[in-house]
């Protein structure tokens, strides 16, 4: 009997250690999920980065305002011509808030439809990036001069893309309900849109409204504009 | 009172395990549970072999480590292949635990009955 004690002691020691340790981990882990923990970290990172980009956008805006002030000073002689040209170029580029007659379109997910058919594919009831893209294209066909989606001004470099469950415009996340504002001939734009994608969405029972407004204010593009590779020919 | 020492070892191990503050990464939790099962299996296997009076320290120790290693390897392989081979190890250890416990119980019962019948025999004489 003496001989069997040391090995058994070792095994008992190890198993006691493992048992206690595992028990400790398990009791600690009941409210802890590795994946959700990771997600929380990612969410925190995203929020941080978004805050940072917002700060920098504000900085850009402040600098632009400063620049504007400088450009509006001492307007004499030839400078005045240049300033008028600059102003026009800025409006073209979408760097100034603009106002005018136009359309106001709101579009939301078809929540009612999904509620009535819970087993159906939810993809058929939410607003996708293609919907927005098509609507914007049709607004442009209808001679829209300035367009914004949820306050994001569309300029030459603006994208409308699908990133997982959100839509990004100007590298900013936007979420339903979507408000598309467009300055231009309300009649032409409304015609182009209702004959096109808006009609399709309407028949698919998406909650949509289309209003003609006398005064639509579209904000300036807030992001950065840098041309690294492009130069005038 | 030879069995006191292993029990003390168990208690000491448990104390060490509960005081250790080392944080294991979440991926290795599976391996940890396998280790627990392997060591429990070895403990009951050892007790069983003592009851059957064919205890061998080397067999017990090598069995413990090779079983744990094999189980860890199986778990790892399962993770790579996307098959939960981990359950095979859990199942094997579980079945063996039950079998060992059953044999230990049998032996206890048989020993107890033998003693009782011996005592009765003495009394009746």
């Amino acid at each position: 009997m003496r001989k069997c004690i040391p090995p058994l002691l070792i095994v008992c020691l190890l198993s006691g250690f493992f048992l206690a340790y595992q028990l400790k981990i398990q009791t600690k882990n009941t409210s802890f999920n590795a994946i959700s923990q990771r997600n929380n970290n990612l969410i925190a990172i995203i929020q941080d980065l978004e805050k940072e980009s917002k700060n920098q956008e504000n900085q850009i805006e402040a600098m632009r305002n400063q620049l504007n002030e400088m450009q509006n000073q001492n307007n004499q002689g030839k400078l005045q011509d240049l300033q008028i040209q600059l102003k026009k170029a800025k409006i073209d580029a979408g760097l100034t808030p603009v106002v005018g007659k136009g359309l106001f379109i709101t579009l939301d997910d078809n929540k009612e439809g999904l509620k009535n058919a819970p087993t159906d594919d939810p993809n058929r009831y939410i607003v996708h990036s293609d919907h927005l893209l098509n609507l914007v294209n049709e607004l442009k066909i209808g001679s829209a001069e300035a367009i914004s989606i949820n306050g994001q001004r569309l300029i030459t470099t603006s994208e409308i893309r699908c990133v997982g469950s959100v839509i990004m415009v100007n590298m900013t996340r936007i979420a339903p309900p979507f408000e598309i504002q467009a300055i231009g001939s309300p009649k032409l734009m409304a015609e182009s849109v209702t004959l096109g994608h808006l009609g399709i969405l309407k028949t698919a029972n998406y909650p949509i409204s289309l209003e003609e407004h006398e005064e639509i204010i579209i904000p300036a593009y807030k992001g950065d504009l840098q041309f690294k590779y492009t130069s005038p020919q | 009172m030879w069995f006191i020492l292993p029990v003390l070892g168990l208690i000491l191990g448990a104390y060490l395990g509960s005081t250790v503050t080392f944080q294991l990464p979440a991926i290795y939790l599976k391996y940890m549970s396998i280790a627990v099962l392997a060591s429990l299996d070895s403990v009951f296997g050892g007790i069983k072999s003592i009851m059957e009076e064919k205890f061998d320290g080397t067999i017990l120790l090598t069995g413990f480590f090779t079983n744990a290693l094999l189980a860890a390897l199986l778990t790892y392989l399962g993770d790579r292949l996307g098959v939960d081979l981990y359950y095979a190890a859990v199942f094997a250890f579980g079945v063996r635990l039950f079998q060992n416990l059953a044999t230990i119980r049998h032996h206890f019962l048989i020993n107890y009955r033998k003693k009782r019948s011996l005592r009765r025999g003495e009394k009746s004489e």
Side-chain angles (χ1 to χ4, degrees):
Chain A
M1 275 306 178
R2 279 282 123 132
K3 213 177 56 181
C4 67
I5 287 177
L8 206 61
L9 190 67
I10 294 171
V11 170
C12 276
L13 211 93
L14 279 171
S15 64
F17 177 82
F18 284 145
L19 262 178
Y21 189 59
Q22 177 81 353
L23 209 71
K24 208 175 94 178
I25 293 174
Q26 286 302 328
T27 45
K28 207 189 278 173
N29 276 9
T30 42
S31 61
F32 168 88
N33 183 346
I35 294 170
S36 79
Q37 178 79 4
R38 220 179 113 228
N39 283 347
N40 281 339
N41 286 344
L42 289 178
I43 288 169
I45 290 172
I46 289 173
Q47 279 169 347
D48 272 1
L49 286 177
E50 272 178 359
K51 213 182 272 171
E52 205 185 304
S53 77
K54 193 124 221 171
N55 273 343
Q56 281 176 347
E57 267 173 18
N58 287 341
Q59 226 171 328
I60 290 173
E61 215 180 339
M63 280 179 165
R64 282 215 179 112
N65 286 339
Q66 229 175 329
L67 198 69
N68 271 338
E69 264 173 42
M70 284 179 186
Q71 280 158 355
N72 287 336
Q73 275 167 9
N74 51 23
N75 36 353
Q76 309 154 344
K78 223 178 177 185
L79 258 176
Q80 207 167 5
D81 270 357
L82 285 175
Q83 270 169 0
I84 290 166
Q85 268 183 39
L86 186 66
K87 217 168 227 172
K88 200 177 165 301
K90 269 187 174 171
I91 293 170
D92 290 348
L95 296 177
T96 46
V98 285
V99 63
K101 237 177 13 172
L103 281 188
F104 188 90
I105 302 172
T106 58
L107 172 61
D108 200 356
D109 293 340
N110 187 1
K111 287 171 192 145
E112 280 298 309
L114 188 60
K115 214 183 272 171
N116 292 336
T119 52
D120 217 355
D121 183 9
N123 273 328
R124 291 177 50 194
Y125 297 95
I126 59 176
V127 177
H128 291 279
S129 59
D130 331 16
H131 296 148
L132 296 181
L133 202 57
N134 284 334
L135 279 176
V136 165
N137 267 346
E138 281 156 11
L139 285 173
K140 283 177 181 168
I141 293 167
S143 78
E145 288 163 9
I147 304 173
S148 74
I149 303 179
N150 281 19
Q152 287 298 327
R153 175 75 172 269
L154 295 186
I155 61 160
T156 48
T157 56
S158 295
E159 86 287 10
I160 299 176
R161 63 174 178 143
C162 167
V163 183
S165 58
V166 294
I167 296 175
M168 292 191 86
V169 174
N170 285 348
M171 301 291 179
T172 312
R173 288 185 298 158
I174 59 171
F178 299 107
E179 291 175 353
I180 304 175
Q181 291 178 301
I183 293 179
S185 154
K187 210 180 136 204
L188 270 178
M189 289 193 296
E191 206 169 304
S192 165
V193 165
T194 42
L195 286 177
H197 215 73
L198 198 83
I200 296 172
L201 287 172
K202 224 166 210 169
T203 47
N205 283 327
Y206 281 89
I208 286 177
S209 75
L210 178 113
E211 290 162 28
E212 289 182 17
H213 284 220
E214 275 305 304
E215 190 187 75
I216 276 186
I217 300 167
I218 291 185
Y221 175 66
K222 291 195 199 85
D224 185 21
L225 249 191
Q226 272 187 352
F227 292 93
K228 266 189 208 158
Y229 301 100
T230 320
S231 56
Q233 198 191 6
Chain B
M1 281 318 193
W2 59 272
F3 56 83
I4 281 290
L5 261 174
V7 171
L8 277 181
L10 201 71
I11 292 166
L12 182 69
Y15 173 71
L16 281 178
S18 55
T19 48
V20 153
T21 49
F22 171 68
Q23 191 73 55
L24 205 70
I27 335 157
Y28 299 120
L29 281 180
K30 259 185 185 177
Y31 296 88
M32 197 65 207
S33 47
I34 282 285
V36 169
L37 274 175
S39 56
L40 271 183
D41 172 59
S42 292
V43 169
F44 285 111
I47 295 170
K48 189 189 99 178
S49 61
I50 289 170
M51 297 250 132
E52 286 174 340
E53 283 168 4
K54 40 183 192 182
F55 181 86
D56 188 329
T58 359
I59 288 182
L60 179 70
L61 278 183
T62 51
F64 172 64
F65 287 112
T66 47
N67 276 348
L69 270 181
L70 197 70
L73 211 72
L74 216 63
T75 311
Y76 176 74
L77 198 72
D79 272 353
R80 292 290 104 167
L81 294 177
V83 185
D84 275 337
L85 282 179
Y86 154 79
Y87 290 117
V90 171
F91 181 72
F93 282 135
V95 167
R96 277 194 23 196
L97 264 176
F98 275 110
Q99 276 175 353
N100 286 344
L101 275 173
T103 347
I104 289 166
R105 198 192 67 231
H106 274 241
H107 275 277
F108 265 122
L109 269 178
I110 288 166
N111 280 352
Y112 175 69
R113 277 181 186 157
K114 252 190 211 160
K115 274 182 191 166
R116 205 169 59 173
S117 62
L118 271 178
R119 240 181 266 151
R120 273 188 189 161
E122 280 168 7
K123 268 185 190 170
S124 63
E125 275 175 25

